[in-house]
Coordinates of all heavy atoms in Angstrom, one line a residue:
M1 N 194.8 236.9 206.0 CA 194.1 238.1 205.7 C 193.4 238.6 206.9 O 193.0 237.9 207.8 CB 192.9 237.6 204.7 CG 192.1 238.8 204.1 SD 190.8 238.3 203.1 CE 191.5 237.3 201.9
N2 N 193.5 239.8 207.1 CA 193.1 240.6 208.3 C 191.7 241.1 208.1 O 191.4 241.5 206.9 CB 194.0 241.7 208.7 CG 195.3 241.3 209.0 OD1 195.6 240.3 209.7 ND2 196.3 242.0 208.6
N3 N 191.0 241.3 209.1 CA 189.7 242.1 209.0 C 189.7 243.1 210.0 O 189.7 242.9 211.3 CB 188.5 241.1 209.3 CG 187.2 241.9 209.1 OD1 187.1 243.1 208.8 ND2 186.1 241.2 209.3
L4 N 190.0 244.3 209.6 CA 190.1 245.6 210.4 C 188.9 246.2 210.8 O 188.7 247.0 211.7 CB 191.0 246.5 209.8 CG 192.4 246.1 209.4 CD1 193.2 247.2 208.8 CD2 193.1 245.5 210.5
A5 N 187.7 245.7 210.2 CA 186.4 246.4 210.5 C 186.1 245.9 211.9 O 186.4 244.9 212.5 CB 185.3 245.8 209.5
G6 N 185.2 246.6 212.6 CA 184.8 246.3 213.9 C 185.6 246.9 215.0 O 185.3 246.8 216.2
K7 N 186.7 247.6 214.7 CA 187.4 248.3 215.7 C 187.7 249.8 215.4 O 187.7 250.1 214.1 CB 188.8 247.5 215.8 CG 189.7 248.3 216.8 CD 191.1 247.7 216.8 CE 192.0 248.4 217.8 NZ 193.4 248.6 217.3
E8 N 187.6 250.7 216.2 CA 188.0 252.1 216.0 C 189.6 252.2 215.8 O 190.3 251.8 216.6 CB 187.5 252.9 217.2 CG 186.0 253.0 217.3 CD 185.4 253.8 216.0 OE1 185.9 254.7 215.6 OE2 184.3 253.3 215.6
W9 N 189.9 252.7 214.7 CA 191.3 252.8 214.4 C 191.6 254.3 214.2 O 191.0 255.0 213.4 CB 191.7 252.1 213.0 CG 191.6 250.7 213.1 CD1 190.5 249.8 213.0 CD2 192.7 249.8 213.2 NE1 190.7 248.6 213.1 CE2 192.2 248.4 213.3 CE3 194.1 249.9 213.4 CZ2 193.0 247.3 213.3 CZ3 194.9 248.9 213.6 CH2 194.3 247.6 213.5
C10 N 192.6 254.8 215.0 CA 193.0 256.2 214.8 C 194.0 256.1 213.5 O 194.4 255.0 213.2 CB 193.7 256.8 216.0 SG 195.4 256.1 216.4
D11 N 194.3 257.3 213.0 CA 195.2 257.3 211.7 C 196.5 256.7 212.1 O 197.1 256.1 211.2 CB 195.3 258.7 211.2 CG 194.0 259.1 210.4 OD1 193.1 258.2 210.2 OD2 193.9 260.3 210.1
A12 N 197.1 257.0 213.3 CA 198.4 256.4 213.6 C 198.4 254.9 213.7 O 199.4 254.3 213.2 CB 198.9 257.1 214.9
E13 N 197.4 254.4 214.3 CA 197.2 252.9 214.3 C 197.1 252.3 213.0 O 197.8 251.3 212.7 CB 196.1 252.5 215.2 CG 196.1 252.8 216.7 CD 195.0 252.5 217.5 OE1 193.9 252.8 216.9 OE2 195.0 252.0 218.6
L14 N 196.2 252.8 212.1 CA 196.0 252.3 210.9 C 197.3 252.5 210.0 O 197.6 251.6 209.2 CB 194.8 253.1 210.2 CG 194.3 252.5 208.7 CD1 194.1 251.0 208.8 CD2 193.2 253.3 208.3
G15 N 197.9 253.6 210.1 CA 199.2 253.9 209.4 C 200.2 252.8 209.8 O 200.9 252.3 208.9
S16 N 200.3 252.5 211.1 CA 201.2 251.5 211.4 C 200.9 250.1 210.9 O 201.7 249.4 210.5 CB 201.3 251.3 213.0 OG 201.8 252.6 213.6
E17 N 199.7 249.8 210.8 CA 199.2 248.5 210.2 C 199.5 248.5 208.6 O 200.0 247.4 208.1 CB 197.7 248.3 210.4 CG 197.3 246.9 210.1 CD 197.8 245.8 211.0 OE1 198.4 246.0 212.0 OE2 197.6 244.6 210.5
I18 N 199.3 249.6 208.0 CA 199.6 249.7 206.5 C 201.1 249.6 206.3 O 201.5 248.8 205.5 CB 199.0 251.0 206.0 CG1 197.5 251.1 206.1 CG2 199.5 251.2 204.6 CD1 197.0 252.5 205.9
E19 N 201.9 250.2 207.2 CA 203.3 250.1 207.1 C 203.8 248.7 207.2 O 204.7 248.2 206.6 CB 204.0 251.0 208.2 CG 205.4 251.1 208.0 CD 206.1 252.1 209.0 OE1 205.4 252.7 209.7 OE2 207.4 252.2 209.0
R20 N 203.2 248.0 208.1 CA 203.6 246.6 208.4 C 203.3 245.7 207.1 O 204.1 244.9 206.8 CB 202.7 246.0 209.5 CG 203.1 244.6 209.9 CD 202.1 243.9 210.9 NE 200.8 243.9 210.4 CZ 200.3 242.9 209.5 NH1 201.1 242.0 209.1 NH2 199.0 243.0 209.1
V21 N 202.3 246.1 206.4 CA 201.9 245.3 205.2 C 202.8 245.7 203.9 O 203.2 244.9 203.2 CB 200.4 245.7 204.8 CG1 200.1 245.0 203.6 CG2 199.5 245.0 205.9
V22 N 203.0 247.1 203.7 CA 203.6 247.5 202.5 C 205.0 247.8 202.8 O 205.8 248.0 201.8 CB 202.9 248.7 201.9 CG1 201.5 248.4 201.4 CG2 202.9 250.0 202.7
G23 N 205.5 247.9 203.9 CA 206.9 248.1 204.2 C 207.4 249.6 204.4 O 208.5 249.8 204.6
F24 N 206.5 250.5 204.3 CA 206.9 252.0 204.6 C 205.8 252.7 205.0 O 204.5 252.4 204.9 CB 207.6 252.6 203.4 CG 206.7 252.5 202.1 CD1 205.8 253.6 201.8 CD2 206.9 251.5 201.2 CE1 205.1 253.5 200.6 CE2 206.1 251.4 200.0 CZ 205.2 252.4 199.7
S25 N 205.9 253.9 205.5 CA 204.9 254.7 206.1 C 204.0 255.4 205.1 O 204.5 256.0 204.1 CB 205.5 255.9 206.9 OG 205.3 255.8 208.3
P26 N 202.7 255.3 205.2 CA 201.8 255.8 204.2 C 201.5 257.3 204.6 O 201.7 257.7 205.7 CB 200.4 255.0 204.4 CG 200.5 254.6 205.8 CD 202.0 254.4 206.1
R27 N 201.2 258.1 203.5 CA 200.8 259.4 203.7 C 199.3 259.6 204.2 O 198.5 258.6 204.0 CB 201.0 260.2 202.4 CG 202.4 260.3 202.1 CD 202.7 261.3 200.9 NE 202.1 260.8 199.7 CZ 202.9 260.3 198.7 NH1 204.2 260.1 198.9 NH2 202.3 259.9 197.6
A28 N 198.8 260.6 204.6 CA 197.6 260.9 205.2 C 196.5 260.5 204.2 O 195.4 259.8 204.5 CB 197.3 262.3 205.7
G29 N 196.6 261.0 203.0 CA 195.5 260.7 201.9 C 195.4 259.2 201.6 O 194.3 258.6 201.4
Q30 N 196.5 258.5 201.7 CA 196.5 257.1 201.5 C 195.8 256.3 202.7 O 195.0 255.4 202.4 CB 198.0 256.5 201.3 CG 198.7 257.1 200.1 CD 200.2 257.0 200.2 OE1 200.8 256.9 201.3 NE2 200.8 256.8 199.1
I31 N 196.1 256.9 203.8 CA 195.5 256.3 204.9 C 193.9 256.5 204.9 O 193.1 255.5 205.2 CB 196.0 256.9 206.4 CG1 197.4 256.5 206.5 CG2 195.1 256.5 207.5 CD1 198.1 257.2 207.7
Q32 N 193.4 257.6 204.5 CA 192.0 258.0 204.3 C 191.4 257.1 203.3 O 190.3 256.5 203.6 CB 191.8 259.4 204.0 CG 192.3 260.3 205.1 CD 192.3 261.8 204.7 OE1 192.0 262.1 203.5 NE2 192.6 262.7 205.7
A33 N 192.1 256.9 202.2 CA 191.5 256.0 201.1 C 191.4 254.5 201.6 O 190.4 253.9 201.4 CB 192.4 256.1 199.9
I34 N 192.4 253.9 202.3 CA 192.4 252.7 202.9 C 191.3 252.5 204.0 O 190.6 251.5 204.0 CB 193.8 252.2 203.4 CG1 194.7 252.2 202.0 CG2 193.7 250.9 204.0 CD1 196.2 252.0 202.4
R35 N 191.2 253.5 204.8 CA 190.1 253.6 205.9 C 188.7 253.4 205.2 O 188.0 252.6 205.6 CB 190.1 254.9 206.6 CG 189.0 254.9 207.7 CD 189.0 256.3 208.4 NE 190.2 256.5 209.1 CZ 190.5 255.8 210.3 NH1 189.7 255.0 210.8 NH2 191.6 256.2 210.9
K36 N 188.5 254.2 204.1 CA 187.1 254.1 203.5 C 186.9 252.7 202.9 O 185.8 252.2 202.9 CB 187.2 255.2 202.3 CG 185.9 255.2 201.6 CD 185.8 256.4 200.6 CE 185.5 257.7 201.2 NZ 184.1 258.0 201.7
L37 N 187.9 252.1 202.3 CA 187.8 250.8 201.7 C 187.7 249.6 202.7 O 186.8 248.9 202.5 CB 188.9 250.6 200.7 CG 188.9 251.4 199.4 CD1 190.4 251.4 198.8 CD2 187.9 250.9 198.5
V38 N 188.7 249.7 203.6 CA 188.8 248.5 204.5 C 187.9 248.6 205.8 O 187.2 247.6 206.1 CB 190.2 248.3 204.9 CG1 190.4 247.2 205.9 CG2 191.2 248.1 203.7
I39 N 187.8 249.7 206.4 CA 187.2 249.9 207.7 C 185.7 250.2 207.5 O 184.9 249.6 207.9 CB 187.8 250.8 208.7 CG1 189.2 250.2 209.0 CG2 187.0 251.0 209.9 CD1 190.1 251.1 209.7
D40 N 185.5 251.2 206.5 CA 184.1 251.8 206.3 C 183.4 251.0 205.3 O 182.2 251.0 205.2 CB 184.2 253.2 205.9 CG 184.8 254.1 206.8 OD1 184.9 253.8 208.1 OD2 185.2 255.3 206.5
R41 N 184.2 250.0 204.6 CA 183.6 249.1 203.6 C 182.8 249.9 202.6 O 181.8 249.5 202.1 CB 182.7 248.1 204.3 CG 183.4 247.2 205.4 CD 184.4 246.3 204.9 NE 183.8 245.2 204.1 CZ 184.5 244.3 203.4 NH1 185.8 244.5 203.4 NH2 183.9 243.5 202.7
K42 N 183.3 251.0 202.1 CA 182.8 251.8 201.1 C 183.5 251.7 199.8 O 184.7 251.3 199.8 CB 182.8 253.2 201.5 CG 182.1 253.6 202.8 CD 180.7 253.6 202.6 CE 180.0 254.0 203.9 NZ 178.6 253.9 203.9
D43 N 182.8 251.8 198.7 CA 183.4 251.8 197.4 C 184.2 253.1 197.2 O 183.9 254.1 197.9 CB 182.3 251.7 196.3 CG 181.7 250.5 196.3 OD1 182.2 249.5 196.8 OD2 180.5 250.3 195.7
L44 N 185.2 253.1 196.4 CA 186.1 254.3 196.2 C 186.5 254.4 194.8 O 187.0 253.4 194.2 CB 187.2 254.2 197.2 CG 188.4 255.3 197.1 CD1 187.8 256.6 197.6 CD2 189.6 254.9 197.9
I45 N 186.4 255.5 194.2 CA 187.0 255.8 193.0 C 188.2 256.8 193.3 O 188.0 257.9 193.8 CB 186.0 256.5 191.9 CG1 185.0 255.5 191.5 CG2 186.9 257.0 190.7 CD1 183.9 256.1 190.7
L46 N 189.4 256.2 193.1 CA 190.6 257.1 193.4 C 191.2 257.5 192.1 O 191.8 256.7 191.3 CB 191.6 256.1 194.2 CG 192.9 256.8 194.6 CD1 192.7 258.0 195.5 CD2 193.7 255.7 195.3
V47 N 191.3 258.8 192.0 CA 191.9 259.6 190.8 C 193.0 260.4 191.5 O 192.7 261.4 192.2 CB 191.0 260.4 190.1 CG1 191.6 261.1 188.9 CG2 189.9 259.5 189.6
A48 N 194.3 260.1 191.2 CA 195.4 260.8 191.9 C 196.5 260.8 190.8 O 196.6 260.0 189.9 CB 195.9 260.1 193.1
P49 N 197.3 261.9 191.0 CA 198.4 262.1 190.0 C 199.5 261.0 190.1 O 199.6 260.4 191.2 CB 199.0 263.4 190.3 CG 198.6 263.7 191.7 CD 197.3 262.9 191.9
T50 N 200.3 260.8 189.1 CA 201.5 260.0 189.1 C 202.4 260.3 190.4 O 202.6 261.6 190.5 CB 202.3 260.1 187.9 OG1 201.4 259.6 186.7 CG2 203.5 259.3 187.9
G51 N 202.8 259.5 191.1 CA 203.7 259.7 192.1 C 202.9 259.9 193.6 O 203.5 260.1 194.6
W52 N 201.5 259.9 193.5 CA 200.8 260.1 194.8 C 200.8 258.9 195.6 O 200.8 259.1 196.8 CB 199.4 260.4 194.4 CG 198.5 260.6 195.5 CD1 198.2 261.9 196.2 CD2 197.6 259.7 196.3 NE1 197.4 261.6 197.3 CE2 196.9 260.4 197.3 CE3 197.4 258.3 196.0 CZ2 196.1 259.7 198.2 CZ3 196.5 257.7 197.0 CH2 195.9 258.5 197.9
G53 N 201.0 257.7 195.1 CA 201.2 256.5 195.9 C 199.9 255.6 195.9 O 199.5 255.0 196.7
K54 N 199.3 255.6 194.7 CA 198.1 254.7 194.6 C 198.4 253.2 194.7 O 197.6 252.5 195.3 CB 197.4 254.9 193.1 CG 196.9 256.4 192.8 CD 196.5 256.4 191.3 CE 197.6 256.5 190.4 NZ 198.5 257.7 190.4
S55 N 199.7 253.0 194.4 CA 200.2 251.5 194.6 C 199.9 251.1 196.1 O 199.7 250.0 196.3 CB 201.6 251.3 194.1 OG 201.6 251.5 192.7
V56 N 200.2 252.0 197.0 CA 200.1 251.7 198.4 C 198.6 251.2 198.6 O 198.4 250.3 199.4 CB 200.5 252.9 199.3 CG1 200.1 252.6 200.7 CG2 201.9 253.2 199.2
V57 N 197.7 252.0 198.2 CA 196.3 251.7 198.3 C 195.9 250.3 197.7 O 195.2 249.5 198.3 CB 195.4 252.8 197.7 CG1 193.9 252.5 197.9 CG2 195.7 254.2 198.5
F58 N 196.6 250.1 196.5 CA 196.2 248.9 195.7 C 196.8 247.6 196.4 O 196.3 246.6 196.4 CB 196.7 248.9 194.3 CG 196.0 250.0 193.4 CD1 196.7 250.6 192.5 CD2 194.7 250.3 193.7 CE1 196.1 251.5 191.7 CE2 194.0 251.2 192.9 CZ 194.7 251.9 192.0
Q59 N 197.9 247.8 197.1 CA 198.6 246.7 197.8 C 198.0 246.4 199.1 O 197.8 245.4 199.5 CB 200.1 247.0 197.9 CG 200.8 246.9 196.6 CD 202.2 247.5 196.8 OE1 202.9 247.4 197.9 NE2 202.8 248.0 195.8
A60 N 197.8 247.5 199.9 CA 197.3 247.3 201.3 C 195.9 246.9 201.4 O 195.6 246.2 202.4 CB 197.6 248.7 202.1
T61 N 195.1 247.4 200.6 CA 193.5 247.1 200.7 C 193.3 245.6 200.7 O 192.7 245.2 201.6 CB 192.8 247.8 199.6 OG1 193.0 249.2 199.9 CG2 191.4 247.6 199.9
P62 N 193.7 244.8 199.7 CA 193.5 243.5 199.8 C 194.1 242.7 200.8 O 193.6 241.7 201.4 CB 193.9 242.9 198.4 CG 194.6 244.0 197.7 CD 194.4 245.2 198.4
A63 N 195.2 243.1 201.3 CA 196.0 242.5 202.5 C 195.3 242.8 203.8 O 195.2 241.9 204.8 CB 197.4 242.9 202.5
L64 N 194.5 243.9 203.8 CA 193.9 244.3 205.2 C 192.4 243.9 205.2 O 191.8 244.0 206.2 CB 194.1 245.8 205.5 CG 195.6 246.2 205.7 CD1 195.7 247.7 205.8 CD2 196.2 245.5 206.8
A65 N 191.8 243.8 204.1 CA 190.4 243.6 204.1 C 189.9 242.1 204.1 O 190.7 241.3 203.7 CB 189.8 244.2 202.7
A66 N 188.8 241.9 204.6 CA 188.2 240.5 204.6 C 187.4 240.5 203.3 O 186.7 241.4 202.9 CB 187.4 240.3 205.8
G67 N 187.3 239.3 202.7 CA 186.5 239.0 201.6 C 187.1 239.3 200.2 O 188.4 239.4 200.1
I68 N 186.4 239.5 199.3 CA 186.9 239.8 197.9 C 187.2 241.3 197.7 O 186.4 242.2 198.1 CB 185.9 239.4 196.9 CG1 185.6 237.9 197.0 CG2 186.3 239.6 195.4 CD1 184.5 237.2 196.2
C69 N 188.2 241.5 197.0 CA 188.6 242.8 196.7 C 189.0 243.1 195.1 O 189.8 242.4 194.7 CB 189.9 243.3 197.5 SG 190.5 245.0 197.3
L70 N 188.2 243.9 194.5 CA 188.5 243.9 193.0 C 189.0 245.4 192.8 O 188.4 246.4 193.2 CB 187.1 243.8 192.3 CG 187.1 244.1 190.8 CD1 188.0 243.1 190.1 CD2 185.6 244.1 190.4
M71 N 190.1 245.5 192.2 CA 190.8 246.7 191.9 C 190.9 246.8 190.3 O 191.3 245.9 189.7 CB 192.1 246.8 192.5 CG 192.2 246.7 194.0 SD 192.0 248.4 194.7 CE 192.2 248.0 196.4
I72 N 190.5 247.9 189.8 CA 190.6 248.1 188.4 C 191.5 249.3 188.3 O 191.2 250.5 188.6 CB 189.3 248.3 187.7 CG1 188.3 247.1 187.9 CG2 189.4 248.6 186.2 CD1 186.9 247.3 187.7
M73 N 192.7 249.1 187.5 CA 193.6 250.2 187.3 C 193.9 250.4 185.8 O 194.5 249.5 185.3 CB 194.8 249.9 188.1 CG 195.9 251.0 188.3 SD 197.1 250.4 189.4 CE 198.3 251.7 189.1
P74 N 193.5 251.5 185.3 CA 193.7 251.7 183.9 C 195.1 252.2 183.6 O 195.5 253.3 183.5 CB 192.7 252.9 183.6 CG 192.7 253.6 184.9 CD 192.8 252.7 185.9
L75 N 196.0 251.2 183.4 CA 197.4 251.5 183.2 C 197.7 251.7 181.7 O 198.9 252.1 181.4 CB 198.3 250.3 183.7 CG 198.4 250.2 185.2 CD1 199.2 249.1 185.6 CD2 199.2 251.4 185.7
T76 N 196.8 251.5 180.8 CA 197.1 251.5 179.5 C 197.7 252.9 179.1 O 198.7 253.0 178.3 CB 195.8 251.2 178.5 OG1 195.3 250.1 179.1 CG2 196.1 251.2 177.1
L77 N 197.1 253.9 179.4 CA 197.7 255.3 179.1 C 199.0 255.5 179.7 O 199.9 256.1 178.9 CB 196.7 256.5 179.5 CG 195.5 256.5 178.8 CD1 194.5 257.6 179.4 CD2 195.5 256.7 177.3
L78 N 199.2 255.1 180.9 CA 200.6 255.2 181.5 C 201.6 254.4 180.7 O 202.7 254.8 180.3 CB 200.6 254.8 183.0 CG 201.9 254.8 183.7 CD1 202.5 256.3 183.6 CD2 201.8 254.3 185.0
E79 N 201.2 253.2 180.3 CA 202.1 252.3 179.7 C 202.5 252.8 178.2 O 203.6 252.9 177.8 CB 201.5 250.9 179.4 CG 201.4 250.2 180.7 CD 200.6 248.9 180.6 OE1 200.0 248.6 179.5 OE2 200.6 248.0 181.5
E80 N 201.4 253.4 177.6 CA 201.6 254.1 176.2 C 202.6 255.3 176.3 O 203.5 255.4 175.6 CB 200.4 254.5 175.6 CG 199.5 253.2 175.1 CD 198.1 253.8 174.6 OE1 197.8 255.0 174.6 OE2 197.3 252.9 174.3
D81 N 202.4 256.0 177.4 CA 203.3 257.2 177.6 C 204.7 256.8 177.9 O 205.6 257.4 177.3 CB 202.7 258.0 178.7 CG 203.6 259.3 179.0 OD1 203.7 260.1 178.0 OD2 204.0 259.5 180.2
Q82 N 204.9 255.8 178.7 CA 206.3 255.3 179.0 C 206.9 254.6 177.7 O 208.0 254.9 177.4 CB 206.2 254.3 180.1 CG 205.9 254.9 181.4 CD 205.6 253.8 182.5 OE1 205.5 252.6 182.1 NE2 205.7 254.3 183.8
V83 N 206.2 254.0 176.9 CA 206.7 253.4 175.7 C 207.1 254.5 174.7 O 208.2 254.4 174.1 CB 205.8 252.3 175.1 CG1 206.3 252.0 173.6 CG2 205.6 251.1 175.9
S84 N 206.3 255.4 174.6 CA 206.6 256.5 173.5 C 207.8 257.3 173.9 O 208.6 257.7 173.2 CB 205.4 257.4 173.3 OG 205.1 258.2 174.4
S85 N 208.0 257.4 175.3 CA 209.2 258.2 175.9 C 210.4 257.4 175.6 O 211.5 257.9 175.2 CB 209.0 258.4 177.3 OG 208.0 259.2 177.7
I86 N 210.3 256.1 175.7 CA 211.5 255.2 175.5 C 211.9 255.2 174.0 O 213.0 255.2 173.6 CB 211.3 253.8 175.9 CG1 211.1 253.8 177.5 CG2 212.4 252.8 175.5 CD1 210.7 252.5 178.1
L87 N 210.9 255.3 173.2 CA 211.1 255.2 171.7 C 211.6 256.5 171.1 O 212.0 256.5 169.9 CB 209.8 254.7 170.9 CG 209.4 253.2 171.3 CD1 208.1 252.9 170.6 CD2 210.5 252.3 171.0
R88 N 211.4 257.6 171.8 CA 211.9 258.9 171.4 C 213.4 258.9 171.1 O 214.2 258.3 171.9 CB 211.7 260.0 172.4 CG 210.3 260.6 172.0 CD 210.2 261.9 172.8 NE 209.4 261.3 174.1 CZ 209.5 262.0 175.2 NH1 210.0 263.1 175.4 NH2 208.8 261.4 176.3
P89 N 213.8 259.5 169.9 CA 215.3 259.6 169.7 C 216.1 260.2 170.8 O 215.5 261.1 171.5 CB 215.5 260.3 168.4 CG 214.0 260.6 167.9 CD 213.1 260.2 169.0
N90 N 217.3 260.1 170.9 CA 218.3 260.7 171.8 C 218.1 260.2 173.3 O 218.4 261.0 174.2 CB 218.2 262.2 171.7 CG 218.5 262.6 170.3 OD1 219.5 262.1 169.7 ND2 217.8 263.6 169.8
L91 N 217.6 259.1 173.6 CA 217.3 258.6 174.9 C 218.4 257.5 175.2 O 218.7 256.8 174.4 CB 215.9 258.1 175.2 CG 214.9 259.2 175.3 CD1 213.6 258.6 175.7 CD2 215.4 260.1 176.5

């Protein structure tokens, strides 16, 4: 587990560290969210559309933060939507 707090990280450096953890380059908004959680040690409520890349934030934060990391992700609505799409006729 890494502790990135205590060092000044530019977005490029932090993006490289996130890429090392998740395996691909994060977008600017993802870097900002992870900065707030890991380096600034602030709480964050992240509401973003499907496809934005919330999973990057959920995966990188615990890998880069020291201490306990609690993530709550309300997947129930997404799961219900996916199941209803699959059950529709003609698919």
Side-chain angles (χ1 to χ4, degrees):
M1 187 181 308
N2 297 319
N3 183 359
L4 302 184
K7 178 186 178 214
E8 290 295 318
W9 291 82
C10 72
D11 284 352
E13 290 173 320
L14 184 55
S16 293
E17 190 65 13
I18 295 166
E19 183 175 359
R20 183 187 64 76
V21 170
V22 297
F24 56 89
S25 245
R27 295 189 292 258
Q30 296 162 332
I31 294 171
Q32 291 168 0
I34 294 167
R35 174 183 302 282
K36 182 175 280 283
L37 290 164
V38 175
I39 296 173
D40 300 343
R41 306 289 293 170
K42 301 287 183 185
D43 294 337
L44 175 70
I45 295 176
L46 176 60
V47 179
T50 299
W52 182 85
K54 295 175 288 293
S55 296
V56 171
V57 177
F58 296 147
Q59 293 170 27
T61 299
L64 298 174
I68 296 172
C69 183
L70 174 65
M71 299 274 182
I72 300 171
M73 189 171 170
L75 285 176
T76 305
L77 292 176
L78 177 60
E79 291 170 353
E80 288 174 5
D81 183 54
Q82 290 173 340
V83 168
S84 67
S85 294
I86 292 169
L87 295 176
R88 265 188 270 161
N90 301 322
L91 287 182

